[in-house]
Structures are given as structure tokens and as C-alpha cells.
Amino acid sequence: MAKNITPKEKDYSQWYLDVIRAAEMADYAPVRGCMVMRPTGYAIWEMVQKYFDDAFKETGHVNAAFPLLIPQSFLSKEAEHVEGFAPECAVVTHAGGEELEEPLIIRPTSETVIGHMYSKWVQSWRDLPILINQWCNVMRWEKRPRLFLRTSEFLWQEGHTAHATKEEAVEETLRMLEVYRQVMTDDLALPVIKGEKSEGERFPGADNTYTCETMMSDKKALQAGTSHFLGQNFAKAFDIQFQDKDGSMQYAYTTSWGVSTRLIGAIIMTHSDNDGLVLPPRIAPQKAVIVPISTSGEKLEKEIMPKAAELKASLCASLGGRFTTIDTNFHMRPGDRFFSHLQKGVPLRLELGEKEFAAERLRAVRRDTGGRIDIAWSDAATAVPALLDEIQKNLCGRALEFRRANTHRAESFEEFKEILEKEGGFVEAFFGGSKEEERAIKEVTGATPRCYPFENEGERGKCFYTGREGARKAIFAKAY
Amino acid sequence: MAKNITPKEKDYSQWYLDVIRAAEMADYAPVRGCMVMRPTGYAIWEMVQKYFDDAFKETGHVNAAFPLLIPQSFLSKEAEHVEGFAPECAVVTHAGGEELEEPLIIRPTSETVIGHMYSKWVQSWRDLPILINQWCNVMRWEKRPRLFLRTSEFLWQEGHTAHATKEEAVEETLRMLEVYRQVMTDDLALPVIKGEKSEGERFPGADNTYTCETMMSDKKALQAGTSHFLGQNFAKAFDIQFQDKDGSMQYAYTTSWGVSTRLIGAIIMTHSDNDGLVLPPRIAPQKAVIVPISTSGEKLEKEIMPKAAELKASLCASLGGRFTTIDTNFHMRPGDRFFSHLQKGVPLRLELGEKEFAAERLRAVRRDTGGRIDIAWSDAATAVPALLDEIQKNLCGRALEFRRANTHRAESFEEFKEILEKEGGFVEAFFGGSKEEERAIKEVTGATPRCYPFENEGERGKCFYTGREGARKAIFAKAY
Ligand SMILES: [Zn+2]
Ligand SMILES: [Zn+2]
């Protein structure tokens, strides 16, 4: 067990921070609540971005860049929206050496300013749909910051679309939720539950919010991404009107959807262990590291290093990128070298010592299981990618199993409380309560409705809290 | 000639804005001085980013993300730096519903906050070099904004490196300047001149600034990218110290280098014409557009469209991306469809009408020359990429020729003034003056020293302005 990492059983919060520090993923910035994403952490974000961005483009979306600063008055145009975001805003009052006439908000999200622009760009039904995404930074002032999970500034993508009909907008909202699910499951190895948010958890200004919820290794829930059907709320607030085919003027229907760097927190808390970071191979910027080892400088230089370079080139080619590196930290002991890669979550360590060299093979060590496999040099270009696929599958399967094992059903509030006290995890229960009742449950148990899951959506039953019949199935949990 | 575009000979500034508007590249944001990069403009930025980012990674750099907000006091730690940037700062005074104890600056550039972080990360010579880049938004309040060229918020990359020795840091500064030159010339088709900045044009806080300068089609200069050797200035201001191999404590040497979305302004002003945008194929997000044409709906549906789809797939495969589209604007007249692609700068239009269909070919029309070439379907996958390469080469060559034709030598201030008044363009002249003399020349002529070019660096002569002997060769021009 790593000395620089507090075991998660002892102190989960400290374990989380220790894993981040040991992998050099992030650091607090000098401004309270803000974060620096160090190269190891940022490279993961680049991988994550690539998968989502490809999926967005594959579904017909294009990227754009909207401004960082928003006039304060914009926020107030949508009543629920301003109520939700005003308390978290950072405000620019001076610029260019002068006091501004109107204070400017650093965007907490961009529905307002994008709504304003869309109203200029949309005239006719031919201008619709607009399918735009942006990757950017946003700011929501945070009193209790936590690296990746809650920081005053964070990086994210926000998709904003406008449509001629309600049907089309709802379809888009659900399409993007499914894109999220797919990338999260296939690439990030996060098995998520798709569902609809309850009234109390809805995005301020949305008619409906849909979510992908996932379980961390402390059994708490994390909202990994949300997709909002905004109805005509923002179209009316910002006057996004168009002339329809029949000549009549109509308000557009809009959607928005986002995932953020908090996904990196989710990856850490889903997969990592007491030795440090564990990364699913598909999002690992370094998928394999070759570790040449010898006490003989001559053997290293003349035999082992040239072979390592050759293997690296062949692996980079078969993996399609700069995904393999060679460890040249010869001033460190082999054990310490191994350990440094362990802590950075490199999925596969490929040891190349004198014994391996003589036998023309590599000794592969899996980060997820610690399992050791000998791979002949001649097989490496096919065996390594196959092994990485296996690790990917194992991590996702393990997380799914963990979630299933820690999901329980409750029929009454008594049972509900007992499960949360004794075991934690997800509680499945029929729920027919309102926003007020959500709040009451949270006050007693700390748990909130994470979603009404899409699976077996039609099922109805008696509400565990109010006793009302015809209630929908919900999942409750304590959440990040 | 396009009716929606003012000819550049008539009003160059208006022409520039008209080109941007016609191509839907950008729009002003509701906050004065800020810009929205619309999908057509942003997609070009994504292409530009890709080439630079690859080149940075190829030379051993990694990306990271530093915070948007910087404590006001940080700026003051480097005297020249604060003098240079304080007047342009946007200041956050309130956040989370409270007044802040210390105002925060939206980063105008990140030397200060990155210096602060490096001082925490660097202890020993083994921690060096640090080779980090970040892609982000920065803010410098702008009273006379101009899309892409001068906006209060802009997107850029800023590389920040720290080294154990001066030699290594200077080498890095020049390496990145060469990376800039290469990408600008090869990918953006901007033939740039590498050189050193004069004292008056140096980055605030740098020992030395190097630049890539390029000529716009109105003969004015544009600084396309700069690379700064910061000496130990920021290391001393932010205490970036390390224990050297001999055990002694040393200050690091740092560099920084950046290019921004202003490059898109440079691309527009270098290549475009009175019909609108012209894009070098390598940075065109849409390299070719197939335009199926027929008055017969049946022929379109049964013959022409399926063939267009087939050709598109084959071209996307041979071009390695979503670089070919099909125009389906059948409600528009063919001429208007052609025109819309012309205005968006698509390098190659591929017409597929009934005549072409019968002859099993495409009619290709080049955006750069208007030249028409018939291409057999069976040749398209090789002929189209070859044609795009030719267009790329032609645009770069044309720009180089234009710069050469508009560069003149001056031996005296009289000659200098005459050239600038009569012809404009670049003036080559030996210059041995100081910051004060630079200012005096600017006041009279509007021109500034763009750089001391690297080419024939050793040459010395008599200063055209002061008459001093032993002066270096400089290039002067009016600049954006
Ligand atoms: Zn149980
Ligand atoms: Zn001339």
C-alpha cells in the first residue's frame, strides 16, 4: 500500500485528494476555489473531450465560441434562471481603467447570451435547427471547493440548440443524453443510469432535465452529465422568433446539455484504489509504459534501449498515437519507477529487463488487477491493444457490478432510512412527492432523488414517502 | 463581384468586415469589444489549433489549464509587466454575493500566476525543464475593437517554460519561433519573416522578444506570433528557485510564446478577395463541396445524389476527415449555391450536373483562381487532394510574391517617408535608434520597426534615421 495515500476505508475525502496529488493531476490556484489542471490531469481531459467532440460532430453539431462576459441584466430575463445562478456569480465592475456602466457577469452558463445571439441569427424556419456546442470555462463561486468536483472555475462543454418544433427539441434532448451515456460507458468506463430529474433537481429555467447518474466507490452518486429541454422559456425571454412555413411567427424550442471536468473526479472515484489513480485505457493519455531495467550501462545502451525504442514505435503505431512512453529514470530504483507509474494510473507497465531481453519478451503488469503476463516481442503489437481492451472491459464491468451490489429497494420510509444508514448506496423506491417532500427527505437522510430512471419507465407503485398510489420509480442517494 | 462586399480598393476596413459577415465567421457580442466566433470561424480556429498543438507535442510540450482569475497584487510583482497590462485589465470586485477582499484580474496573459505555480513545483534541477502550454481565453480591454484582430476577449495559446540554464531557455525561445514559422508557412500559407523585436516593441517583462511578421493585402504588417525570452525576471518576481547539481540554489530562466485568433484575421487579409473569404486548403474545415444539380427531381434522387454520396465518402476517406460536404440547397438557383460556397472560402467546388453525370466526371472549380478542371470519378480520390495541394502552394506563393513586390529599401529618412507615403508596404533600413527614436518615427510616419530580421543578421550599415554607423537591418511598416 502506498505511504503517500490515505486508505479510502479510513478517510475517503483525504484518499481522493491524495490520489490527485500523487498523480500530479491538479493543484489549488492562488485564488480561493480555483484549480490548476496539471499536465497529467489535463491530458485526461483532452482524451475525454476528443470522444465527446467526435460524437457531437457525428450527430451534426458544430462548435463555436461565445463571450465570457454577460451583461448582468441578461440573467434577469429568465426568472428561475437568475434565481438559480445570481448567488454564485463573479462580477466585473471595472475594466480598461474605468467603472463600467453595467456590471458584467462571468458566465455561469450561456443560455442567456446564446439566446440573445440566436434571436439575431434566426429569421426563418430555414435557419433552424441550430446545433451548436462550445468548449469553454465557466464560473460559479464555490464556498466549499473540491478539486474537479466543485471549483469556482471549471471547464466544460455546453451544447445549445434551437428547433422549430417541440418534438424535434425533445428528440434532441434525449439524443444528446444517449450520446453522453454511450461515451461515458464505452470510453470512460462509467456505467451510468439515464433518467429524468425530479422537480427539485431541475435546471433553473428548464421544462425538463435529463441526467446520467453514476455511483462512486464510496457508494455516493455523481451526476455525470445533464441534458435540458428548455421549452420556449429562453426563446420567449430572448425573442428567438422565426417565420414558419405557413408565414406565421413562432417561438423556437431550445435545449442545452453539458458535461464538465467533474467527469475526471468521477473517473478517479470510480476506478482508483489505495495505490493511486486507475485509468480506463481508452482515456489514458499514456496507455503503456516500457520500463527498461539493467544494472549494466552497456547492456542498456547497446541492447535494451534500442529494443525499447523499437517496441515503442511499433506500439505507438498500433495504438494510433503517442500513447506509449519509455521510462528513463535510471537514477531511481526499479520499485520506485514501477510505483510512479502505478500512481499515475498507467494501465499497462511493460518491463524489459535482462531476463526479458534474453527471452525476447516483455513482462506486462496490469494496473487494474496487478496481473502479470509475458508477451513475446513479436506479439506485442497485437497483444498490448488486446490487453488494454480487456482492462477497459474489466473496469467498466467491475463498476457496474459494484453499483448493482449497492442498490437496494425500499417500500417504506423506515426501510429507506435503514438502507441509507446501514449500507448507503442507491435506493430504488416509488416516489410521488413534490419539491417540498424532496427537501424534507433530504433533511432527514441527506439523500436526494437522483432520477426517475428510463428503465422500466412505465412501472407504477405506492410512494414510499407519501403513500400515494401511481408513483414513478425513482433512485435516491447521497450525491456529490 | 459580390454585391454584399465592399471592394477592398474602395474601403479595406469595410471589405474586411463584409468578408467576415458574408462568411458568417463572427459577430459582435452584446458586451462592447467582445466577439462571438460563429461555427464557420471557429472551425478554422480548430484546424489552426490542431497544427500548432501537434507541433507543440512533437517538440515535447504538454498542455495544462491555469486559472482565469489572478490576484491583482500578482501583476505588480514584475514592474514592467504591470505597467504594460494594468490599463487593459478587467477587474472582478464581487463574487458569491460578497465584495472580495482583494480584487481579481481576468488574465491578460498568465506569466504571473504560472510563475507562482512553478515556484511550488520546482525544487531540484530534476524538475526542469517544465514545458507547458495552455489553450485559453484572455482579456485585454479594447476601446477600438476589430473582429479577430483586436477584441477585448480573445482565444490563444500561451506556452510557458522554465529551464535550468540561460542557453537552454534561449534555445527554447527560438525553437518555438521556428515552430510558429513552420506551421504558419506550411499550413496557414502565411509567409512570415522571423526576427527580433526592437526595444520599443518588446513584451513587458521580457529580456528579448522574437516575432513572426507577415504582410496583409493592404501592405500593412501583422504580428502573427511572438516568443519571449524572459530571462530571470519572472523567476525572481515569483521565486522560481531550484537546487542545482552542485547543491547551490539558482533562479530558473523562463520563456513564453503565443499565437491567437488574430491569426484568422491574418488569413482573411492575406488571401481573400472581393468575392469573399479565400481559405488555404490545409486549414479549411470544408475542403471541397459537391454540388449536385438537376431540374429533374427523379434524376437527382435516383442517379445524381447516390453518386454524390459515394464520391463524398471516397473523398472524406482520402482526405482523412469530414472535409467534404454535399450541397442540398435545391431551393436555391445554382448560381446562388455556387456563390454561397465562394463566400465561405471553400477551396474547391465540385459540380455534378446532368452533363457531368453522363460523362462520369466532376467539374472542379478552384476558389483561388476560378480555374475549371474536369475530373473523372475514377480519378477523384487522387486528383482532388492533389488539386488542394496545388491551391495551398499557389496561395502561399502568391502571398510571398506580394510581400517581395511591396518591400523597399530606404537609406535616408526622406526616402523612408516617401516610400511609406507613395507605396506603403515594408521598408528595409539600417536602424540604430532607441525607444524614443522609434516613437518619433512612428509619430511622423505611422510606421514602427516590425523586427530585426534573422536573414543576413550580420549585416551592418548606417542608420537611416540617426546616421549612426554599425546599425542592424530592420523592417518597418504600418501595422495592425
Ligand atoms: Zn446490500
Ligand atoms: Zn514598388
Side-chain angles (χ1 to χ4, degrees):
Chain A
M1 199 167 295
K3 278 186 207 142
N4 57 346
I5 294 179
T6 308
K8 60 167 102 176
E9 301 73 19
K10 196 176 160 200
D11 182 344
Y12 197 82
S13 293
Q14 192 55 50
W15 165 81
Y16 176 73
L17 293 176
D18 289 346
V19 169
I20 290 171
R21 190 182 319 106
E24 298 187 341
M25 296 176 82
D27 211 341
Y28 283 107
V31 170
R32 199 177 140 64
C34 294
M35 162 172 89
V36 173
M37 287 179 70
R38 299 185 67 173
T40 318
Y42 193 81
I44 298 167
W45 180 237
E46 288 182 296
M47 297 294 291
V48 167
Q49 283 186 296
K50 191 184 121 348
Y51 290 110
F52 282 108
D53 198 65
D54 271 355
F56 298 160
K57 285 177 176 152
E58 207 49 64
T59 45
H61 300 81
V62 286
N63 288 330
F66 292 89
L68 176 73
L69 299 179
I70 300 177
Q72 200 167 42
S73 57
F74 273 37
L75 221 57
S76 322
K77 291 195 183 181
E78 216 292 333
E80 287 181 23
H81 196 68
V82 65
E83 199 186 320
F85 287 107
E88 303 177 352
C89 283
V91 189
V92 176
T93 54
H94 293 71
E98 288 170 16
E99 179 154 10
L100 295 169
E101 280 178 34
E102 183 185 0
L104 302 171
I105 303 294
I106 298 182
R107 63 180 163 219
T109 178
S110 303
E111 278 75 9
T112 59
V113 68
I114 291 179
H116 172 85
M117 298 311 298
Y118 283 6
S119 78
K120 295 173 65 176
W121 299 341
V122 174
Q123 262 100 44
S124 136
W125 63 273
R126 285 201 191 278
D127 301 324
L128 294 171
I130 299 188
L131 305 173
I132 291 182
N133 174 63
Q134 82 170 337
W135 292 96
C136 66
N137 53 348
V138 289
M139 189 153 274
R140 299 175 186 178
W141 211 252
E142 191 54 68
K143 304 224 151 123
R144 290 159 302 122
R146 218 164 147 56
L147 292 173
F148 292 114
L149 298 176
R150 274 194 314 269
T151 48
S152 293
E153 182 191 10
F154 58 88
L155 304 184
W156 79 343
Q157 63 68 216
E158 45 179 330
H160 294 270
T161 69
H163 306 263
T165 67
K166 179 175 173 177
E167 291 63 39
E168 223 187 85
V170 170
E171 199 181 295
E172 166 78 6
T173 311
L174 296 175
R175 178 184 304 120
M176 297 325 287
L177 191 72
E178 171 59 16
V179 162
Y180 283 169
R181 187 202 62 76
Q182 207 169 319
V183 173
M184 288 170 186
T185 311
D186 297 353
D187 302 312
L188 282 55
L190 299 178
V192 297
I193 296 174
K194 287 203 297 183
E196 186 183 331
K197 281 288 184 192
S198 64
E199 204 194 334
E201 299 282 323
R202 220 173 263 160
F203 177 78
D207 276 4
N208 230 326
T209 289
Y210 302 93
T211 181
C212 289
E213 297 284 327
T214 175
M215 184 186 281
M216 302 296 94
S217 62
D218 65 349
K219 307 184 197 170
K220 281 168 76 174
L222 187 140
Q223 175 182 303
T226 47
S227 185
H228 315 295
F229 171 61
L230 304 173
Q232 294 183 315
N233 304 333
F234 285 90
K236 285 182 177 164
F238 289 92
D239 199 34
I240 311 176
Q241 282 197 75
F242 64 96
Q243 188 166 39
D244 212 343
K245 290 181 195 179
D246 64 6
S248 68
M249 291 305 290
Q250 305 287 347
Y251 284 106
Y253 291 83
T254 66
T255 84
S256 68
W257 28 275
V259 301
S260 75
T261 37
R262 120 186 277 251
L263 280 173
I264 296 178
I267 291 163
I268 297 170
M269 289 196 291
T270 301
H271 302 300
S272 301
D273 60 25
N274 286 340
D275 282 333
L277 186 63
V278 175
L279 282 178
R282 285 178 69 79
I283 53 150
Q286 230 190 109
K287 299 186 194 304
V289 58
I290 301 171
V291 188
I293 309 157
S294 172
T295 49
S296 150
E298 200 183 327
K299 269 201 178 147
L300 265 182
E301 193 196 333
K302 298 230 169 108
E303 298 182 338
I304 298 181
M305 280 302 284
K307 179 46 77 177
E310 190 191 312
L311 287 164
K312 176 191 159 178
S314 129
L315 287 177
C316 282
S318 71
L319 293 169
R322 297 180 196 87
F323 294 131
T324 311
T325 50
I326 300 176
D327 173 330
T328 56
N329 285 314
F330 299 116
H331 65 283
M332 290 164 67
R333 289 178 311 180
D336 292 340
R337 294 165 71 191
F338 298 166
F339 196 60
S340 74
H341 304 300
L342 216 64
Q343 297 221 305
K344 292 208 170 176
V346 184
L348 215 49
R349 178 172 81 231
L350 302 170
E351 302 173 7
L352 180 57
E354 291 178 21
K355 210 173 66 184
E356 285 81 17
F357 188 86
E360 304 202 346
R361 54 177 166 78
L362 292 161
R363 156 142 297 197
V365 184
R366 287 172 65 149
R367 177 63 183 90
D368 60 335
T369 60
R372 278 144 217 276
I373 310 100
D374 284 328
I375 297 177
W377 292 342
S378 55
D379 291 343
T382 53
V384 166
L387 208 42
L388 290 169
D389 280 349
E390 207 179 301
I391 296 173
Q392 180 84 23
K393 217 174 285 173
N394 177 49
L395 287 174
C396 193
R398 202 159 87 173
L400 181 60
E401 203 136 307
F402 183 80
R403 188 189 80 205
R404 285 192 177 138
N406 289 289
T407 301
H408 296 88
R409 300 192 70 140
E411 316 245 311
S412 69
F413 194 40
E414 281 316 300
E415 263 180 49
F416 184 94
K417 284 187 286 189
E418 208 184 300
I419 293 166
L420 282 169
E421 268 162 36
K422 289 204 181 139
E423 314 207 48
F426 285 7
V427 186
E428 270 185 19
F430 290 107
F431 180 63
S434 66
K435 203 149 85 170
E436 288 65 40
E437 282 147 342
E438 290 180 35
R439 197 173 303 141
I441 293 168
K442 184 176 183 186
E443 249 162 55
V444 177
T445 65
T448 49
R450 303 318 306 149
C451 68
Y452 299 109
F454 285 174
E455 212 182 29
N456 303 322
E457 223 177 343
E459 248 184 285
R460 289 291 178 277
K462 197 171 127 186
C463 174
F464 81 99
Y465 188 73
T466 64
R468 275 174 218 137
E469 288 292 345
R472 294 164 73 180
K473 173 91 69 56
I475 289 170
F476 281 78
K478 292 182 189 169
Y480 280 96
Chain B
M1 198 167 294
K3 279 187 206 139
N4 57 345
I5 294 180
T6 307
K8 58 167 103 176
E9 299 74 21
K10 195 176 160 199
D11 182 345
Y12 196 82
S13 294
Q14 192 55 51
W15 166 80
Y16 175 74
L17 293 175
D18 289 346
V19 169
I20 291 171
R21 188 182 321 107
E24 298 186 342
M25 297 175 82
D27 211 340
Y28 283 107
V31 171
R32 199 177 139 66
C34 294
M35 166 172 86
V36 174
M37 285 178 71
R38 300 185 67 174
T40 318
Y42 193 81
I44 299 167
W45 180 236
E46 289 183 295
M47 297 294 292
V48 167
Q49 283 186 295
K50 192 185 121 345
Y51 290 110
F52 282 107
D53 198 64
D54 271 354
F56 299 160
K57 284 178 176 152
E58 208 49 63
T59 46
H61 299 81
V62 286
N63 288 331
F66 293 88
L68 176 73
L69 298 179
I70 300 177
Q72 199 166 42
S73 57
F74 274 37
L75 220 58
S76 322
K77 291 196 184 181
E78 216 292 333
E80 288 182 22
H81 197 69
V82 65
E83 199 187 318
F85 286 109
E88 302 177 351
C89 282
V91 189
V92 175
T93 54
H94 293 71
E98 287 168 18
E99 179 154 13
L100 296 169
E101 279 177 35
E102 182 186 359
L104 302 171
I105 303 294
I106 299 182
R107 63 181 162 219
T109 177
S110 303
E111 279 76 9
T112 59
V113 68
I114 292 179
H116 172 86
M117 298 310 299
Y118 283 6
S119 78
K120 296 174 64 177
W121 298 342
V122 173
Q123 263 98 45
S124 135
W125 62 273
R126 284 200 191 278
D127 301 324
L128 295 172
I130 300 188
L131 305 173
I132 290 182
N133 174 63
Q134 83 170 337
W135 292 96
C136 67
N137 53 347
V138 289
M139 189 153 274
R140 300 175 186 178
W141 210 252
E142 190 54 67
K143 304 223 152 126
R144 290 160 302 123
R146 216 162 148 59
L147 292 172
F148 292 114
L149 299 175
R150 277 195 312 270
T151 48
S152 292
E153 181 191 11
F154 58 88
L155 305 183
W156 81 342
Q157 63 67 217
E158 44 179 329
H160 294 270
T161 69
H163 306 264
T165 67
K166 180 176 172 175
E167 290 64 39
E168 224 187 85
V170 170
E171 200 181 292
E172 166 78 5
T173 312
L174 296 175
R175 177 183 305 119
M176 298 324 288
L177 191 73
E178 172 57 17
V179 162
Y180 282 170
R181 186 203 62 76
Q182 206 168 321
V183 173
M184 288 169 187
T185 311
D186 296 354
D187 302 313
L188 281 56
L190 299 177
V192 297
I193 295 174
K194 286 204 297 183
E196 187 184 331
K197 280 289 184 192
S198 64
E199 204 194 335
E201 299 282 324
R202 221 173 261 159
F203 178 77
D207 276 5
N208 230 326
T209 288
Y210 301 93
T211 182
C212 288
E213 297 285 327
T214 176
M215 184 186 281
M216 302 296 94
S217 62
D218 65 349
K219 307 185 197 170
K220 282 168 77 173
L222 186 140
Q223 173 183 303
T226 48
S227 185
H228 315 294
F229 170 61
L230 305 173
Q232 294 181 315
N233 304 333
F234 286 89
K236 285 180 178 165
F238 289 92
D239 200 34
I240 312 175
Q241 281 196 76
F242 64 96
Q243 188 165 39
D244 213 344
K245 291 182 193 179
D246 64 6
S248 67
M249 292 304 290
Q250 304 287 347
Y251 284 106
Y253 291 84
T254 66
T255 84
S256 69
W257 27 274
V259 300
S260 75
T261 37
R262 120 188 277 255
L263 280 172
I264 296 178
I267 291 163
I268 297 169
M269 288 197 292
T270 301
H271 302 300
S272 301
D273 60 24
N274 286 340
D275 282 333
L277 186 63
V278 175
L279 283 178
R282 286 179 68 80
I283 54 152
Q286 232 192 108
K287 299 187 194 302
V289 58
I290 301 171
V291 188
I293 308 157
S294 171
T295 48
S296 152
E298 200 184 328
K299 269 201 178 144
L300 264 182
E301 192 195 335
K302 298 231 168 107
E303 298 181 339
I304 299 182
M305 280 302 285
K307 179 47 76 175
E310 190 192 312
L311 287 165
K312 177 191 158 178
S314 130
L315 287 177
C316 282
S318 71
L319 293 170
R322 296 181 196 87
F323 294 131
T324 312
T325 50
I326 299 176
D327 173 331
T328 56
N329 285 315
F330 299 116
H331 66 285
M332 288 163 66
R333 288 179 313 181
D336 292 340
R337 294 164 71 192
F338 298 167
F339 196 60
S340 74
H341 305 300
L342 215 64
Q343 297 222 305
K344 290 207 170 176
V346 183
L348 215 48
R349 178 173 83 232
L350 302 170
E351 302 173 6
L352 181 57
E354 292 178 20
K355 210 173 67 185
E356 285 81 17
F357 188 86
E360 304 202 347
R361 55 179 164 75
L362 292 162
R363 154 141 300 194
V365 183
R366 287 171 65 152
R367 176 64 182 92
D368 61 336
T369 60
R372 278 144 214 277
I373 311 102
D374 285 329
I375 298 177
W377 291 344
S378 54
D379 292 341
T382 54
V384 166
L387 208 43
L388 291 168
D389 280 349
E390 208 179 302
I391 296 172
Q392 180 84 23
K393 216 173 287 173
N394 176 48
L395 287 174
C396 194
R398 203 158 86 171
L400 183 59
E401 203 135 308
F402 183 80
R403 189 189 81 205
R404 285 192 177 138
N406 290 289
T407 300
H408 297 87
R409 302 192 70 142
E411 316 245 312
S412 68
F413 193 39
E414 281 316 301
E415 263 180 50
F416 184 95
K417 283 187 289 189
E418 207 185 300
I419 293 166
L420 283 169
E421 269 162 36
K422 287 202 183 139
E423 312 209 49
F426 285 7
V427 186
E428 269 185 19
F430 290 108
F431 179 62
S434 66
K435 205 150 84 171
E436 287 67 38
E437 282 147 341
E438 289 181 35
R439 198 173 304 140
I441 294 168
K442 185 178 182 184
E443 249 162 55
V444 177
T445 66
T448 49
R450 302 320 304 150
C451 67
Y452 298 109
F454 285 173
E455 212 183 28
N456 304 322
E457 223 177 344
E459 249 184 286
R460 289 292 179 275
K462 197 171 125 187
C463 173
F464 80 99
Y465 188 72
T466 63
R468 275 174 219 136
E469 288 293 345
R472 294 164 74 181
K473 172 90 69 57
I475 290 171
F476 281 77
K478 292 182 190 169
Y480 278 96

